[in-house]
Amino acid sequence: MCGIVGAVSARNIVPILVEGLKRLEYRGYDSCGVAVHRQGALFRARSTARVAELQAQVDADGLAAGTGIAHTRWATHGAPAVHNAHPHFSAGPVVASASSGLAADAPGQIALVHNGIIENHDELRDELKARGYVFASQTDTEVIAHLVHHLYAGDLLASDAMALAGVTDQIVYLEEGDVVDLQIGKTWIAAAQPDGRYRNVERPVRTVQAHTGAAELGPYRHYMQKEIFEQPKAIADTLEAVGGVTPELFGDGAYRVFKEVDRVLILACGTSYYAGSTAKYWLESVAAIPTSVEIASEYRYRDSVPDPRTLVVTISQSGETADTLAALKHARAQGMGHTLTICNVATSAMVRECALHFITRAGAEIGVASTKAFTTQLVGLYLLALSLAQVRGRLSDAQEVEALKALRHLPVAVQAVLALEPQVMAWSEEFARKENALFLGRGLHYPVALEGALKLKEISYIHAEAYPAGELKHGPLALVTSAMPVVTVAPNDALLEKLKSNLQEVRARGGELYVFADADTKIENDTGTHVIRMPEHYGHLSPILHVVPLQLLAYHTACARGTDVDKPRNLAKSVTVE
């Protein structure tokens, strides 16, 4: 969600800025722009199309300079339109009149890009208008441009290290409230203090390898397709350093923390929330530890009962999810200091904020709809359940050996599921003509059904909902007709016979069933019942296998409908505002 790149150099930095924006397209955006400072004046180009169109503008205008900023915007305040696109300019106050003739793209003294929300923008806008500033957009960001101009009167920068891959590997990460001043050969960082003042601080320089290769599409049609097929490798890479089940997988001091906690609180959003919902089953059945899962954006706005013996677990692909970071800070403020994150970015804010962590090694995930990040999160969460079980005396040596054997076989098992793609593609042609779908699962696989429904609605724009199969008769069955496909996750587990009864309820109402069934479930293809057989049953880890065909179904349905698979409308990859 939004991307920022900036640079100060003795050479032309415009190609770096535009290339940086291209690498940040995965974050999601609906407009983009670049501004440069040259010979004492500001120049900019902005577009509501893709970065490639911005590149054409830049080339046509001959935009070149040694100082500049660039931005991809995901709209919050003001529609996606050129006049609302960043960078925003401030040329100072003017005498406002009907004949002032101030153009929307008037020259400026301040150029600014911004990611986030200015909650008091209305009050600031009124104050600045009273001082003679004229606003050319409906954004909250333009308020800051004018405010900086008002207050101002008295290297390289980016929001993601990937934007600067191949340019530099020396990165300084700013903390919450930091302000940075970049000049050639020198940077100043000031940190906000409790009294509202700022003081100069030093932040460590880190060497970060942000490889560009992960952002290249290669032979695949879309990044999402590439990332679905990268899951065997992503899982293998995530397990590479796992020699055995031990709390130290989550950092130094994890054993002491795991001994001290007697419950788990999981905080996450979107797909990561469904990963946490799956982990609840593992944590309670394997480790016998009470677990609650909260939507991060809701958690801090309700009255909850804090318990200092709680392990607070956050889950985030980017490690920058604003709602999850805020929920984490709220939990800590309530006295819950035992924190752990499952995250895909080792240098992220989430990792820095948590005492313990498990870094998934999924690599860069470009597609907005998460795939390999989800399955590697599940791997990390299963290891957490095993480690807590070990500390609590509930994991024997034999159980550990069997669990590790199953984990290490996962890449092969997932590869076998990916081989089902042609069968899933055949189904997708039918789904592409639908506007609604139901997804069903029971027990451990209900969160998988939720994730499958989310994937379908995210990228194909088909309305899809998921329910525990036993809830059908309590309301959703009213929706079932021959026009409503019902997708079912059917592993051979303790709830199989119950699930079969639920499937009969659908068939009795003329519903069309699409079932991903384990081979030994004895659910057969029949009129109104379409079955794809999974290669093998996988016990506790079955959700990791069953989610893969749901990803493929969503992907190929979206392709058949002609939607923008990697950049679905209105969505962003990294949600960094509330």
Side-chain angles (χ1 to χ4, degrees):
M1 177 181 287
C2 300
I4 293 173
V5 189
V8 179
S9 177
R11 61 187 171 115
N12 178 24
I13 46 75
V14 173
I16 293 174
L17 298 180
V18 176
E19 180 60 29
L21 291 187
K22 289 179 181 177
R23 293 177 186 167
L24 297 181
E25 285 189 291
Y26 77 95
R27 295 170 71 97
Y29 68 105
D30 42 46
S31 63
C32 52
V34 59
V36 299
H37 182 265
R38 184 177 65 198
Q39 296 177 340
L42 293 174
F43 302 87
R44 69 181 166 188
R46 298 184 291 177
S47 173
T48 55
R50 293 300 178 197
V51 174
E53 200 276 336
L54 180 69
Q55 174 79 69
Q57 276 193 55
V58 166
D59 292 344
D61 294 343
L63 206 62
T67 301
I69 53 177
H71 188 268
T72 51
R73 175 181 185 247
W74 186 80
T76 55
H77 294 71
V82 171
H83 68 277
N84 287 328
H86 298 211
H88 287 288
F89 281 0
S90 177
V94 299
V95 178
S97 70
S99 60
S100 66
L102 183 70
D105 209 26
Q109 299 171 17
I110 296 290
L112 183 138
V113 296
H114 158 247
N115 180 20
I117 292 175
I118 310 301
E119 294 189 347
N120 62 336
H121 68 95
D122 284 331
E123 296 90 331
L124 290 172
R125 186 184 298 266
D126 291 341
E127 291 176 15
L128 290 161
K129 282 184 175 180
R131 295 179 184 275
Y133 287 87
V134 175
F135 285 77
S137 76
Q138 289 82 47
T139 68
D140 55 342
T141 297
E142 191 182 0
V143 167
I144 302 303
H146 292 317
L147 184 62
V148 169
H149 182 280
H150 169 62
L151 297 174
Y152 189 78
D155 325 273
L156 298 168
L157 179 147
S159 55
D160 191 318
M162 187 187 296
L164 303 177
V167 178
T168 182
D169 62 356
Q170 300 296 295
I171 304 290
V172 175
Y173 288 91
L174 300 179
E175 301 294 334
E176 185 76 18
D178 281 0
V179 175
V180 63
D181 180 0
L182 289 181
Q183 296 187 21
I184 293 178
K186 180 64 177 177
T187 62
W188 289 267
I189 299 175
Q193 303 301 300
D195 62 3
R197 299 186 180 187
Y198 282 80
R199 67 175 176 84
N200 290 338
V201 295
E202 294 288 334
R203 299 290 185 214
V205 178
R206 304 186 187 207
T207 301
V208 177
Q209 298 298 327
H211 298 290
T212 60
E216 294 170 358
L217 189 57
Y220 295 94
R221 184 177 175 187
H222 298 96
Y223 284 109
M224 183 178 179
Q225 182 187 30
K226 175 178 183 258
E227 288 152 13
I228 289 172
F229 279 84
E230 285 176 340
Q231 287 178 114
K233 182 179 187 304
I235 292 169
D237 288 348
T238 298
L239 290 168
E240 184 177 18
V242 178
V245 175
T246 170
E248 279 62 42
L249 289 171
F250 301 88
D252 295 338
Y255 178 82
R256 176 187 57 80
V257 171
F258 289 3
K259 289 291 285 186
E260 291 179 4
V261 300
D262 51 26
R263 62 182 53 248
V264 174
L265 167 64
I266 297 175
L267 303 172
C269 301
T271 287
S272 295
Y273 172 76
Y274 298 145
S277 299
T278 305
K280 174 182 170 69
Y281 287 90
W282 289 334
L283 287 161
E284 294 193 339
S285 65
V286 177
I289 187 166
T291 301
S292 58
V293 188
E294 296 264 4
I295 295 174
S297 59
E298 294 290 323
Y299 169 69
R300 69 188 178 113
Y301 293 111
R302 71 174 187 83
D303 294 329
S304 57
V305 181
D307 181 348
R309 293 182 62 83
T310 297
L311 177 63
V312 179
V313 177
T314 63
I315 311 171
S316 172
Q317 186 282 138
S318 68
E320 305 291 344
T321 309
D323 287 315
T324 308
L325 282 167
L328 169 65
K329 292 174 183 177
H330 176 69
R332 280 207 312 247
Q334 297 220 60
M336 294 187 285
H338 298 311
T339 58
L340 182 152
T341 190
I342 308 289
C343 185
N344 193 41
V345 182
T347 56
S348 65
M350 201 76 71
V351 174
R352 298 196 301 271
E353 290 282 343
C354 287
L356 303 174
H357 61 262
F358 182 88
I359 306 301
T360 59
R361 298 177 65 184
E365 189 178 64
I366 307 300
V368 166
S370 180
T371 52
K372 61 178 181 174
F374 176 73
T375 48
T376 53
Q377 284 171 354
L378 290 178
V379 169
L381 289 162
Y382 188 64
L383 286 168
L384 176 62
L386 292 174
S387 297
L388 282 165
Q390 185 186 71
V391 170
R392 294 164 69 84
R394 295 184 57 87
L395 185 72
S396 68
D397 291 344
Q399 288 171 322
E400 178 182 351
V401 169
E402 285 302 309
L404 289 172
K405 180 180 177 182
L407 281 167
R408 293 194 175 110
H409 182 63
L410 264 179
V412 174
V414 172
Q415 196 68 54
V417 177
L418 289 169
L420 300 174
E421 185 182 32
Q423 297 177 58
V424 177
M425 288 177 68
W427 282 9
S428 71
E429 295 298 324
E430 292 297 319
F431 274 75
R433 296 191 285 269
K434 307 296 184 181
E435 293 301 326
N436 300 280
L438 285 177
F439 284 68
L440 303 178
R442 295 207 69 149
L444 183 63
H445 293 80
Y446 168 49
V448 172
L450 286 166
E451 173 62 7
L454 177 62
K455 285 292 156 285
L456 189 67
K457 71 181 85 170
E458 276 182 315
I459 61 171
S460 74
Y461 314 147
I462 293 172
H463 172 250
E465 298 295 335
Y467 291 91
E471 280 294 290
L472 264 181
K473 63 180 75 68
H474 296 287
L477 201 56
L479 297 172
V480 172
T481 69
S482 59
M484 172 78 82
V486 179
V487 182
T488 307
V489 180
N492 188 11
D493 60 14
L495 291 170
L496 176 61
E497 295 306 316
K498 297 288 185 185
L499 179 65
K500 287 182 178 178
S501 297
N502 302 139
L503 301 188
Q504 289 304 314
E505 293 167 359
V506 172
R507 285 299 304 127
R509 274 77 179 177
E512 290 282 320
L513 285 166
Y514 294 82
V515 186
F516 292 103
D518 284 352
D520 48 1
T521 56
K522 298 181 180 175
I523 300 174
E524 305 295 338
N525 279 292
D526 200 352
T527 302
T529 302
H530 315 275
V531 180
I532 291 178
R533 302 223 172 271
M534 299 290 286
E536 58 184 305
H537 177 57
Y538 223 66
H540 278 145
L541 294 172
S542 175
I544 297 176
L545 298 192
H546 271 277
V547 77
V548 174
L550 300 183
Q551 296 168 348
L552 288 169
L553 179 62
Y555 171 72
H556 286 292
T557 301
C559 288
R561 288 170 69 97
T563 61
D564 192 343
V565 172
D566 288 330
K567 305 179 185 69
R569 68 189 182 201
N570 305 331
L571 299 180
K573 180 64 178 176
S574 183
V575 184
T576 53
V577 297
E578 270 196 89

